[in-house]
Amino acid sequence: MSVLPIGHAEFTRADIHVLLNKGCEMVDRGLAGACVPVETEAGELVVALLDYDHQCLICAFGKAQGWYYALDAAWQPLAQGQLIEDVLSVLPGALEAHRPAAANAC
């Protein structure tokens, strides 16, 4: 049996707004260089936090089949949940933990 959360299967404008606001807060705090919506090669929309040169991914947030997720720079899962707060809870810790590596790894 498969369980789908109640709500929208993909990002809504409200989801993107919340993620961009939180990402911009991380930029303002000096933990990332930019926060932008990006379409992946697979055609999925993610909100990406980029390094100071805007060249390397630090962290990305997406939504698929009603579940929110956070991925690190290597596209490995950091968090998954039914609520946007479930994945935002990885910030700013995830950015602080990956900041030195993000500066050197592209």
Side-chain angles (χ1 to χ4, degrees):
M1 176 165 102
S2 168
V3 177
L4 286 178
I6 297 172
H8 298 279
E10 303 300 326
F11 273 144
T12 64
R13 286 181 185 219
D15 291 334
I16 294 168
H17 180 75
V18 168
L19 292 169
L20 287 173
N21 279 344
K22 188 64 171 183
C24 288
E25 179 185 316
M26 297 298 107
V27 171
D28 291 345
R29 291 177 62 187
L31 297 173
C35 179
V36 294
V38 176
E39 188 173 321
T40 67
E41 291 177 10
E44 295 179 47
L45 179 65
V46 298
V47 173
L49 290 167
L50 304 175
D51 70 353
Y52 298 105
D53 295 326
H54 305 175
Q55 299 294 316
C56 297
L57 176 71
I58 298 174
C59 182
F61 296 94
K63 188 174 183 183
Q65 298 179 347
W67 292 86
Y68 295 96
Y69 57 87
L71 304 170
D72 66 12
W75 297 98
Q76 297 301 307
L78 291 172
Q80 179 179 341
Q82 292 181 324
L83 303 175
I84 203 165
E85 292 82 14
D86 294 339
V87 296
L88 286 176
S89 67
V90 303
L91 296 175
L95 296 178
E96 290 171 349
H98 292 91
R99 207 160 102 187
N104 299 320
C106 285

Coordinates of all heavy atoms in Angstrom, one line a residue:
M1 N 0.8 -1.2 0.0 CA 0.0 0.0 0.0 C 0.9 1.2 0.0 O 1.8 1.3 0.7 CB -0.9 0.0 1.2 CG -1.7 1.2 1.4 SD -3.1 1.0 2.5 CE -2.4 1.8 3.9
S2 N 0.5 2.2 -0.8 CA 1.3 3.4 -1.0 C 0.5 4.5 -0.2 O -0.7 4.6 -0.3 CB 1.5 3.8 -2.4 OG 1.9 5.1 -2.6
V3 N 1.2 5.4 0.5 CA 0.6 6.5 1.2 C 1.0 7.8 0.5 O 2.2 8.1 0.4 CB 1.0 6.5 2.7 CG1 0.4 7.7 3.4 CG2 0.6 5.2 3.3
L4 N 0.0 8.6 0.1 CA 0.3 9.9 -0.4 C -0.2 11.0 0.6 O -1.3 10.9 1.1 CB -0.4 10.1 -1.8 CG 0.2 9.4 -3.0 CD1 -0.7 9.7 -4.2 CD2 1.6 9.8 -3.2
P5 N 0.6 12.0 0.8 CA 0.1 13.0 1.7 C -1.0 13.9 1.1 O -1.1 13.9 -0.1 CB 1.4 13.9 1.9 CG 2.3 13.6 0.8 CD 1.9 12.2 0.4
I6 N -1.8 14.4 1.9 CA -2.8 15.3 1.4 C -2.2 16.6 1.0 O -1.3 17.2 1.7 CB -3.9 15.6 2.5 CG1 -4.6 14.3 2.9 CG2 -4.9 16.6 2.0 CD1 -5.5 14.4 4.1
G7 N -2.6 17.1 -0.2 CA -2.0 18.4 -0.7 C -1.6 18.3 -2.1 O -1.9 17.3 -2.8
H8 N -0.8 19.2 -2.6 CA -0.3 19.2 -3.9 C 0.8 18.3 -4.1 O 1.7 18.3 -3.3 CB 0.1 20.7 -4.3 CG -1.1 21.6 -4.2 ND1 -2.0 21.7 -5.2 CD2 -1.5 22.5 -3.3 CE1 -2.9 22.7 -4.9 NE2 -2.6 23.1 -3.7
A9 N 0.8 17.6 -5.3 CA 1.9 16.7 -5.5 C 3.2 17.4 -5.9 O 4.3 16.9 -5.6 CB 1.5 15.7 -6.7
E10 N 3.1 18.5 -6.5 CA 4.3 19.3 -7.0 C 4.3 20.6 -6.2 O 3.4 21.0 -5.5 CB 4.3 19.5 -8.5 CG 4.2 18.2 -9.3 CD 5.4 17.2 -9.0 OE1 6.5 17.7 -8.8 OE2 5.1 16.0 -9.0
F11 N 5.4 21.4 -6.5 CA 5.5 22.7 -5.9 C 4.3 23.6 -6.2 O 3.8 23.6 -7.4 CB 6.7 23.5 -6.4 CG 8.0 23.2 -5.6 CD1 9.2 23.1 -6.3 CD2 8.0 23.0 -4.2 CE1 10.3 22.9 -5.6 CE2 9.1 22.8 -3.5 CZ 10.3 22.7 -4.2
T12 N 3.8 24.4 -5.3 CA 2.9 25.5 -5.5 C 3.7 26.8 -5.5 O 4.8 26.8 -5.0 CB 1.8 25.5 -4.4 OG1 2.4 25.8 -3.2 CG2 1.0 24.2 -4.3
R13 N 3.0 27.9 -5.9 CA 3.7 29.2 -5.8 C 4.0 29.5 -4.3 O 5.1 30.1 -4.1 CB 2.8 30.3 -6.4 CG 2.7 30.2 -7.9 CD 1.8 31.4 -8.4 NE 1.7 31.3 -9.8 CZ 1.7 32.3 -10.6 NH1 1.8 33.5 -10.1 NH2 1.6 32.1 -11.9
A14 N 3.1 29.1 -3.4 CA 3.4 29.4 -2.0 C 4.6 28.6 -1.5 O 5.4 29.2 -0.8 CB 2.1 29.0 -1.2
D15 N 4.8 27.4 -2.0 CA 6.0 26.6 -1.6 C 7.2 27.3 -2.0 O 8.2 27.4 -1.3 CB 5.9 25.2 -2.3 CG 4.9 24.3 -1.7 OD1 4.4 24.4 -0.6 OD2 4.5 23.4 -2.5
I16 N 7.2 27.7 -3.3 CA 8.4 28.4 -3.9 C 8.7 29.6 -3.1 O 9.9 29.9 -2.8 CB 8.2 28.6 -5.4 CG1 8.2 27.2 -6.1 CG2 9.4 29.4 -5.9 CD1 7.7 27.3 -7.5
H17 N 7.7 30.4 -2.8 CA 7.8 31.7 -2.1 C 8.5 31.4 -0.7 O 9.4 32.1 -0.3 CB 6.5 32.3 -1.9 CG 6.5 33.6 -1.2 ND1 7.0 34.8 -1.7 CD2 6.1 33.9 0.1 CE1 6.9 35.8 -0.8 NE2 6.4 35.3 0.3
V18 N 8.0 30.4 0.0 CA 8.5 30.1 1.3 C 10.0 29.7 1.2 O 10.9 30.2 2.0 CB 7.7 29.0 2.0 CG1 8.5 28.4 3.3 CG2 6.4 29.5 2.4
L19 N 10.3 28.8 0.3 CA 11.7 28.3 0.1 C 12.6 29.4 -0.3 O 13.8 29.5 0.2 CB 11.7 27.2 -0.9 CG 11.1 25.9 -0.4 CD1 10.9 24.9 -1.5 CD2 11.9 25.3 0.7
L20 N 12.2 30.3 -1.3 CA 13.0 31.4 -1.7 C 13.3 32.4 -0.6 O 14.4 32.9 -0.4 CB 12.4 32.1 -2.9 CG 12.5 31.4 -4.2 CD1 11.7 32.1 -5.3 CD2 13.9 31.2 -4.7
N21 N 12.2 32.7 0.2 CA 12.4 33.6 1.4 C 13.4 33.0 2.4 O 14.3 33.7 2.9 CB 11.1 33.9 2.1 CG 10.3 34.9 1.4 OD1 10.8 35.6 0.5 ND2 9.0 35.0 1.7
K22 N 13.3 31.7 2.7 CA 14.2 31.1 3.6 C 15.6 31.1 3.1 O 16.6 31.3 3.8 CB 13.8 29.7 4.0 CG 14.6 29.1 5.1 CD 14.4 29.8 6.4 CE 15.0 29.0 7.5 NZ 14.8 29.7 8.8
G23 N 15.8 30.8 1.7 CA 17.1 30.8 1.1 C 17.7 32.1 1.1 O 18.9 32.3 1.4
C24 N 16.9 33.2 0.8 CA 17.4 34.5 0.8 C 17.9 34.9 2.2 O 18.8 35.7 2.4 CB 16.4 35.5 0.3 SG 16.2 35.3 -1.5
E25 N 17.2 34.4 3.2 CA 17.6 34.7 4.6 C 19.0 34.1 4.8 O 19.9 34.7 5.5 CB 16.6 34.1 5.6 CG 17.0 34.2 7.0 CD 16.0 33.5 7.9 OE1 14.8 33.6 7.7 OE2 16.5 32.8 8.9
M26 N 19.2 32.9 4.3 CA 20.6 32.2 4.4 C 21.6 33.0 3.7 O 22.8 33.2 4.1 CB 20.5 30.8 3.9 CG 19.6 29.9 4.7 SD 20.0 29.7 6.4 CE 18.8 30.6 7.2
V27 N 21.3 33.6 2.5 CA 22.2 34.5 1.8 C 22.5 35.7 2.6 O 23.7 36.1 2.7 CB 21.6 34.9 0.4 CG1 22.5 35.9 -0.3 CG2 21.5 33.6 -0.5
D28 N 21.5 36.3 3.2 CA 21.7 37.5 4.0 C 22.6 37.2 5.2 O 23.3 38.1 5.6 CB 20.3 38.1 4.5 CG 19.5 38.7 3.3 OD1 20.1 38.9 2.2 OD2 18.3 38.9 3.6
R29 N 22.5 36.0 5.7 CA 23.3 35.6 6.9 C 24.7 35.2 6.4 O 25.6 34.9 7.3 CB 22.7 34.5 7.6 CG 21.4 34.9 8.3 CD 20.7 33.8 9.0 NE 21.5 33.2 10.0 CZ 21.1 32.1 10.7 NH1 20.0 31.5 10.5 NH2 21.9 31.6 11.6
G30 N 25.0 35.2 5.1 CA 26.4 34.9 4.7 C 26.6 33.4 4.6 O 27.8 33.0 4.4
L31 N 25.6 32.6 4.6 CA 25.8 31.1 4.5 C 25.7 30.6 3.1 O 26.0 29.4 2.9 CB 24.7 30.4 5.4 CG 24.8 30.8 6.9 CD1 23.7 30.2 7.7 CD2 26.2 30.3 7.5
A32 N 25.3 31.4 2.2 CA 25.2 31.0 0.8 C 25.3 32.2 -0.1 O 25.2 33.4 0.4 CB 23.8 30.3 0.5
G33 N 25.6 32.0 -1.4 CA 25.8 33.1 -2.3 C 24.6 33.6 -3.0 O 24.4 34.7 -3.4
A34 N 23.7 32.6 -3.3 CA 22.4 32.9 -4.0 C 21.4 31.8 -3.7 O 21.8 30.7 -3.4 CB 22.7 33.0 -5.5
C35 N 20.2 32.2 -3.9 CA 19.0 31.3 -3.8 C 18.2 31.5 -5.0 O 17.7 32.6 -5.3 CB 18.2 31.5 -2.5 SG 16.8 30.4 -2.4
V36 N 18.0 30.4 -5.9 CA 17.3 30.5 -7.1 C 16.5 29.3 -7.4 O 16.9 28.2 -7.1 CB 18.3 30.8 -8.3 CG1 19.0 32.1 -8.2 CG2 19.3 29.7 -8.4
P37 N 15.4 29.4 -8.1 CA 14.7 28.3 -8.7 C 15.4 27.8 -9.9 O 15.9 28.6 -10.7 CB 13.3 28.8 -9.0 CG 13.5 30.3 -9.2 CD 14.7 30.7 -8.4
V38 N 15.6 26.4 -10.0 CA 16.3 25.8 -11.1 C 15.5 24.6 -11.6 O 15.0 23.9 -10.8 CB 17.7 25.4 -10.6 CG1 18.5 24.6 -11.7 CG2 18.5 26.5 -10.1
E39 N 15.6 24.4 -12.9 CA 15.0 23.2 -13.5 C 16.1 22.2 -13.7 O 17.1 22.5 -14.3 CB 14.3 23.5 -14.8 CG 13.5 22.3 -15.3 CD 12.7 22.7 -16.5 OE1 12.1 23.8 -16.6 OE2 12.6 21.8 -17.5
T40 N 16.0 21.0 -13.2 CA 17.0 20.0 -13.3 C 17.0 19.4 -14.7 O 16.0 19.7 -15.5 CB 16.8 18.8 -12.3 OG1 15.6 18.1 -12.6 CG2 16.8 19.4 -10.9
E41 N 18.0 18.6 -15.1 CA 18.0 18.0 -16.4 C 16.8 17.1 -16.6 O 16.3 16.8 -17.7 CB 19.3 17.2 -16.5 CG 20.5 18.0 -16.7 CD 21.8 17.2 -16.7 OE1 21.7 16.0 -16.9 OE2 22.9 17.8 -16.7
A42 N 16.2 16.5 -15.5 CA 15.1 15.7 -15.6 C 13.8 16.5 -15.6 O 12.7 15.9 -15.7 CB 15.0 14.7 -14.3
G43 N 13.9 17.8 -15.6 CA 12.7 18.6 -15.7 C 12.0 19.0 -14.4 O 10.9 19.5 -14.4
E44 N 12.6 18.6 -13.3 CA 12.0 18.9 -12.0 C 12.5 20.3 -11.6 O 13.6 20.7 -11.8 CB 12.5 17.9 -11.0 CG 12.0 16.5 -11.2 CD 12.5 15.5 -10.2 OE1 12.5 15.9 -9.0 OE2 13.0 14.5 -10.6
L45 N 11.6 21.0 -10.9 CA 11.9 22.3 -10.3 C 12.4 22.1 -8.9 O 11.8 21.4 -8.1 CB 10.7 23.2 -10.3 CG 10.9 24.6 -9.7 CD1 11.8 25.4 -10.6 CD2 9.5 25.3 -9.6
V46 N 13.6 22.7 -8.6 CA 14.1 22.8 -7.3 C 14.5 24.2 -6.9 O 14.7 25.0 -7.8 CB 15.4 21.8 -7.1 CG1 15.0 20.4 -7.4 CG2 16.5 22.3 -8.0
V47 N 14.6 24.5 -5.7 CA 15.1 25.8 -5.2 C 16.5 25.5 -4.7 O 16.7 24.7 -3.8 CB 14.2 26.4 -4.1 CG1 14.9 27.6 -3.5 CG2 12.8 26.7 -4.7
A48 N 17.5 26.1 -5.3 CA 18.9 25.8 -5.1 C 19.6 26.9 -4.3 O 19.4 28.1 -4.6 CB 19.6 25.6 -6.4
L49 N 20.4 26.5 -3.3 CA 21.3 27.5 -2.7 C 22.7 27.3 -3.3 O 23.2 26.1 -3.3 CB 21.3 27.2 -1.2 CG 20.0 27.6 -0.5 CD1 19.9 27.0 0.9 CD2 19.8 29.1 -0.4
L50 N 23.2 28.3 -3.8 CA 24.5 28.3 -4.5 C 25.6 28.9 -3.7 O 25.4 29.7 -2.8 CB 24.4 29.0 -5.8 CG 23.3 28.5 -6.7 CD1 23.2 29.3 -8.0 CD2 23.5 27.0 -7.1
D51 N 26.9 28.5 -4.0 CA 28.0 29.1 -3.4 C 28.2 30.6 -3.7 O 27.4 31.2 -4.5 CB 29.3 28.3 -3.7 CG 29.7 28.5 -5.1 OD1 29.0 29.1 -5.9 OD2 30.8 27.9 -5.5
Y52 N 29.3 31.2 -3.2 CA 29.5 32.6 -3.4 C 29.7 33.0 -4.8 O 29.5 34.2 -5.2 CB 30.6 33.1 -2.5 CG 30.2 32.9 -1.0 CD1 30.8 31.9 -0.3 CD2 29.2 33.7 -0.4 CE1 30.4 31.7 1.0 CE2 28.9 33.5 0.9 CZ 29.5 32.5 1.6 OH 29.1 32.2 2.9
D53 N 30.3 32.1 -5.6 CA 30.5 32.4 -7.1 C 29.3 32.0 -7.9 O 29.4 32.2 -9.2 CB 31.7 31.6 -7.5 CG 33.0 32.1 -6.9 OD1 33.1 33.3 -6.5 OD2 33.9 31.2 -6.6
H54 N 28.3 31.5 -7.3 CA 27.1 31.1 -8.0 C 27.4 30.0 -9.0 O 26.7 29.8 -10.0 CB 26.4 32.3 -8.7 CG 26.0 33.4 -7.8 ND1 25.5 34.5 -8.3 CD2 26.2 33.6 -6.5 CE1 25.3 35.4 -7.3 NE2 25.7 34.8 -6.2
Q55 N 28.4 29.2 -8.7 CA 28.8 28.1 -9.6 C 28.5 26.7 -9.1 O 28.2 25.8 -9.9 CB 30.3 28.2 -9.9 CG 30.8 29.4 -10.5 CD 30.3 29.6 -11.9 OE1 30.3 28.6 -12.7 NE2 29.8 30.8 -12.3
C56 N 28.5 26.5 -7.8 CA 28.3 25.2 -7.2 C 27.1 25.2 -6.3 O 26.8 26.1 -5.6 CB 29.5 24.8 -6.4 SG 31.0 24.7 -7.3
L57 N 26.4 24.0 -6.4 CA 25.2 23.8 -5.5 C 25.7 23.5 -4.1 O 26.7 22.7 -3.9 CB 24.5 22.6 -6.0 CG 23.3 22.1 -5.2 CD1 22.2 23.1 -5.3 CD2 22.8 20.7 -5.6
I58 N 25.1 24.1 -3.1 CA 25.3 23.8 -1.7 C 24.2 22.9 -1.2 O 24.5 21.9 -0.5 CB 25.4 25.1 -0.9 CG1 26.5 26.0 -1.3 CG2 25.5 24.7 0.6 CD1 26.6 27.3 -0.6
C59 N 23.0 23.2 -1.5 CA 21.8 22.5 -1.0 C 20.6 22.8 -2.0 O 20.6 23.9 -2.6 CB 21.5 23.0 0.4 SG 20.1 22.2 1.2
A60 N 19.7 21.9 -2.1 CA 18.5 22.1 -3.0 C 17.3 21.5 -2.3 O 17.4 20.5 -1.5 CB 18.7 21.4 -4.3
F61 N 16.2 22.1 -2.6 CA 14.9 21.7 -2.0 C 14.0 21.4 -3.2 O 13.9 22.2 -4.2 CB 14.3 22.8 -1.2 CG 15.1 23.1 0.0 CD1 16.0 24.1 0.0 CD2 14.9 22.3 1.2 CE1 16.8 24.4 1.1 CE2 15.7 22.6 2.3 CZ 16.6 23.6 2.3
G62 N 13.2 20.3 -3.1 CA 12.3 19.9 -4.1 C 11.0 19.3 -3.5 O 10.9 19.2 -2.3
K63 N 10.1 19.0 -4.4 CA 8.9 18.3 -4.0 C 8.5 17.3 -5.1 O 8.5 17.7 -6.3 CB 7.8 19.3 -3.8 CG 6.5 18.8 -3.2 CD 5.5 19.9 -2.9 CE 4.3 19.3 -2.2 NZ 3.3 20.4 -2.0
A64 N 8.2 16.1 -4.7 CA 7.8 15.1 -5.6 C 6.7 14.2 -5.0 O 6.9 13.8 -3.8 CB 9.0 14.2 -6.1
Q65 N 5.7 13.9 -5.7 CA 4.6 13.1 -5.2 C 4.1 13.5 -3.8 O 3.8 12.7 -3.0 CB 5.0 11.6 -5.2 CG 5.3 11.1 -6.6 CD 5.8 9.7 -6.6 OE1 6.1 9.1 -5.6 NE2 5.9 9.1 -7.8
G66 N 4.1 14.8 -3.6 CA 3.5 15.3 -2.3 C 4.5 15.4 -1.2 O 4.2 15.9 -0.1
W67 N 5.7 14.9 -1.4 CA 6.8 14.9 -0.3 C 7.8 16.0 -0.6 O 8.3 16.1 -1.7 CB 7.5 13.6 -0.2 CG 6.6 12.5 0.2 CD1 5.7 11.7 -0.5 CD2 6.4 12.1 1.6 NE1 5.1 10.8 0.3 CE2 5.5 11.0 1.6 CE3 7.0 12.4 2.8 CZ2 5.1 10.4 2.7 CZ3 6.6 11.8 3.9 CH2 5.7 10.8 3.9
Y68 N 8.2 16.8 0.4 CA 9.2 17.7 0.3 C 10.5 17.0 0.5 O 10.6 16.1 1.3 CB 9.1 18.9 1.3 CG 7.9 19.7 1.1 CD1 6.7 19.4 1.8 CD2 7.9 20.8 0.2 CE1 5.6 20.2 1.6 CE2 6.8 21.6 0.0 CZ 5.6 21.3 0.7 OH 4.5 22.1 0.5
Y69 N 11.6 17.5 -0.1 CA 12.9 16.9 0.2 C 14.0 17.9 0.1 O 13.9 19.0 -0.5 CB 13.2 15.7 -0.8 CG 13.2 16.1 -2.2 CD1 14.3 16.6 -2.9 CD2 12.0 15.9 -3.0 CE1 14.3 16.9 -4.2 CE2 12.0 16.3 -4.3 CZ 13.1 16.8 -4.9 OH 13.1 17.1 -6.2
A70 N 15.1 17.7 0.8 CA 16.3 18.5 0.8 C 17.5 17.6 0.4 O 17.6 16.5 0.8 CB 16.6 19.1 2.2
L71 N 18.3 18.1 -0.5 CA 19.5 17.4 -1.0 C 20.7 18.2 -0.8 O 20.7 19.4 -0.9 CB 19.3 17.1 -2.5 CG 18.0 16.4 -2.9 CD1 17.9 16.4 -4.4 CD2 18.0 15.0 -2.4
D72 N 21.8 17.5 -0.6 CA 23.1 18.2 -0.4 C 23.8 18.4 -1.8 O 23.2 18.1 -2.8 CB 24.0 17.4 0.5 CG 24.5 16.1 0.0 OD1 24.3 15.7 -1.2 OD2 25.1 15.3 0.8
A73 N 25.0 18.9 -1.8 CA 25.7 19.2 -3.0 C 25.9 18.0 -3.9 O 26.1 18.2 -5.1 CB 27.0 19.9 -2.7
A74 N 26.0 16.8 -3.4 CA 26.2 15.6 -4.2 C 24.8 15.0 -4.5 O 24.7 13.8 -4.9 CB 27.0 14.6 -3.4
W75 N 23.7 15.7 -4.3 CA 22.3 15.3 -4.6 C 22.0 14.1 -3.7 O 21.1 13.3 -4.1 CB 22.1 15.0 -6.1 CG 22.3 16.2 -6.9 CD1 23.4 16.5 -7.6 CD2 21.3 17.2 -7.1 NE1 23.1 17.7 -8.3 CE2 21.9 18.2 -8.0 CE3 20.0 17.4 -6.7 CZ2 21.2 19.3 -8.4 CZ3 19.3 18.6 -7.1 CH2 19.9 19.5 -7.9
Q76 N 22.6 14.0 -2.5 CA 22.2 13.0 -1.5 C 21.2 13.6 -0.6 O 21.2 14.8 -0.2 CB 23.4 12.5 -0.7 CG 24.5 11.9 -1.6 CD 23.9 10.7 -2.3 OE1 23.4 9.8 -1.7 NE2 24.1 10.7 -3.6
P77 N 20.2 12.8 -0.1 CA 19.1 13.3 0.8 C 19.6 13.8 2.1 O 20.5 13.1 2.8 CB 18.3 12.0 1.0 CG 18.7 11.0 0.0 CD 20.0 11.4 -0.4
L78 N 19.1 14.9 2.5 CA 19.4 15.5 3.8 C 18.1 15.3 4.7 O 18.2 15.1 5.9 CB 19.7 17.0 3.7 CG 21.0 17.4 3.1 CD1 21.1 18.9 2.9 CD2 22.2 16.9 4.0
A79 N 17.0 15.5 4.1 CA 15.7 15.4 4.8 C 14.6 15.2 3.8 O 14.7 15.5 2.6 CB 15.5 16.7 5.6
Q80 N 13.5 14.6 4.4 CA 12.3 14.4 3.6 C 11.1 14.5 4.6 O 11.2 14.1 5.7 CB 12.2 13.0 2.9 CG 11.0 12.8 2.1 CD 11.0 11.4 1.5 OE1 12.0 10.8 1.3 NE2 9.8 10.9 1.1
G81 N 10.0 15.1 4.1 CA 8.8 15.2 5.0 C 7.6 15.6 4.3 O 7.7 16.1 3.1
Q82 N 6.5 15.5 4.9 CA 5.2 15.9 4.4 C 5.0 17.4 4.5 O 4.2 18.0 3.8 CB 4.1 15.2 5.1 CG 4.1 13.7 4.7 CD 2.9 13.0 5.4 OE1 2.5 13.3 6.5 NE2 2.3 12.1 4.7
L83 N 5.7 18.1 5.5 CA 5.6 19.5 5.7 C 6.9 20.2 5.2 O 8.0 19.7 5.4 CB 5.4 19.8 7.2 CG 4.1 19.1 7.8 CD1 4.1 19.4 9.3 CD2 2.9 19.6 7.1
I84 N 6.7 21.4 4.7 CA 7.9 22.1 4.2 C 8.8 22.4 5.4 O 10.1 22.4 5.2 CB 7.4 23.4 3.5 CG1 8.5 23.9 2.6 CG2 7.0 24.5 4.5 CD1 8.0 25.0 1.6
E85 N 8.3 22.5 6.6 CA 9.2 22.7 7.8 C 10.1 21.6 8.1 O 11.1 21.7 8.6 CB 8.3 23.1 9.0 CG 7.6 24.4 9.0 CD 6.3 24.4 8.2 OE1 5.8 23.3 7.9 OE2 5.8 25.5 7.8
D86 N 9.6 20.3 7.6 CA 10.4 19.1 7.8 C 11.8 19.2 7.1 O 12.8 18.7 7.6 CB 9.7 17.9 7.3 CG 8.5 17.6 8.2 OD1 8.4 18.0 9.3 OD2 7.6 16.9 7.6
V87 N 11.8 19.9 6.0 CA 13.0 20.0 5.2 C 13.8 21.3 5.5 O 15.0 21.3 5.5 CB 12.8 19.8 3.7 CG1 12.3 18.4 3.4 CG2 11.9 20.8 3.1
L88 N 13.0 22.3 5.8 CA 13.7 23.6 6.2 C 14.5 23.5 7.5 O 15.4 24.2 7.8 CB 12.7 24.7 6.2 CG 12.2 25.2 4.9 CD1 11.1 26.3 5.1 CD2 13.3 25.7 4.0
S89 N 14.1 22.5 8.3 CA 14.8 22.3 9.6 C 16.3 22.0 9.4 O 17.0 22.1 10.4 CB 14.1 21.2 10.4 OG 14.2 20.0 9.8
V90 N 16.7 21.6 8.2 CA 18.1 21.3 8.0 C 19.0 22.5 7.9 O 20.2 22.5 8.0 CB 18.4 20.4 6.8 CG1 17.6 19.1 6.9 CG2 18.1 21.1 5.5
L91 N 18.3 23.7 7.7 CA 19.0 25.0 7.6 C 19.1 25.6 9.0 O 18.2 25.5 9.8 CB 18.3 25.9 6.7 CG 18.2 25.4 5.2 CD1 17.4 26.4 4.4 CD2 19.6 25.3 4.6
P92 N 20.1 26.4 9.3 CA 21.3 26.6 8.6 C 22.4 25.6 8.8 O 23.4 25.7 8.2 CB 21.7 28.0 9.1 CG 21.3 28.0 10.5 CD 20.0 27.2 10.5
G93 N 22.1 24.6 9.6 CA 23.2 23.6 9.9 C 23.8 23.0 8.7 O 25.0 22.8 8.6
A94 N 23.0 22.6 7.7 CA 23.5 22.0 6.5 C 24.4 22.9 5.7 O 25.4 22.4 5.2 CB 22.3 21.5 5.6
L95 N 24.1 24.2 5.7 CA 24.9 25.1 5.0 C 26.2 25.3 5.7 O 27.3 25.4 5.1 CB 24.2 26.4 4.8 CG 22.9 26.4 3.9 CD1 22.3 27.7 3.9 CD2 23.3 25.8 2.6
E96 N 26.2 25.5 7.0 CA 27.4 25.7 7.8 C 28.3 24.4 7.7 O 29.5 24.6 7.6 CB 27.0 25.9 9.3 CG 26.4 27.3 9.5 CD 25.8 27.5 10.8 OE1 25.7 26.6 11.6 OE2 25.4 28.7 11.1
A97 N 27.7 23.2 7.7 CA 28.5 22.0 7.6 C 29.1 21.8 6.3 O 30.2 21.3 6.2 CB 27.6 20.8 7.9
H98 N 28.5 22.3 5.2 CA 29.0 22.1 3.9 C 29.7 23.3 3.3 O 30.2 23.3 2.2 CB 27.9 21.7 2.9 CG 27.4 20.3 3.3 ND1 26.3 20.1 4.1 CD2 27.8 19.1 2.8 CE1 26.1 18.8 4.2 NE2 27.0 18.2 3.5
R99 N 29.8 24.4 4.1 CA 30.4 25.6 3.5 C 31.8 25.5 3.1 O 32.2 25.9 2.0 CB 30.2 26.7 4.6 CG 30.2 28.1 3.9 CD 29.5 29.1 4.8 NE 30.6 29.9 5.4 CZ 30.4 30.7 6.4 NH1 29.2 30.9 6.9 NH2 31.3 31.4 6.9
P100 N 32.7 24.9 3.9 CA 34.1 24.8 3.4 C 34.2 23.9 2.2 O 34.9 24.2 1.3 CB 34.8 24.1 4.6 CG 34.0 24.4 5.8 CD 32.6 24.5 5.3
A101 N 33.5 22.8 2.2 CA 33.5 21.9 1.0 C 32.9 22.5 -0.2 O 33.4 22.4 -1.3 CB 32.8 20.6 1.3
A102 N 31.9 23.3 -0.1 CA 31.2 23.9 -1.2 C 32.2 25.0 -1.9 O 32.1 25.2 -3.1 CB 29.9 24.6 -0.8
A103 N 33.0 25.6 -1.1 CA 33.9 26.6 -1.7 C 35.0 25.9 -2.6 O 35.5 26.6 -3.5 CB 34.7 27.3 -0.6
N104 N 35.3 24.6 -2.4 CA 36.3 24.0 -3.2 C 35.8 22.9 -4.2 O 36.6 22.4 -5.0 CB 37.3 23.3 -2.2 CG 38.0 24.4 -1.4 OD1 38.3 25.5 -1.8 ND2 38.1 24.1 -0.1
A105 N 34.6 22.5 -4.0 CA 34.1 21.3 -4.8 C 33.0 21.7 -5.8 O 32.0 22.2 -5.4 CB 33.5 20.3 -3.8
C106 N 33.3 21.5 -7.0 CA 32.4 21.8 -8.1 C 32.3 20.6 -9.0 O 33.2 19.9 -9.2 CB 32.8 23.0 -9.0 SG 32.5 24.6 -8.2

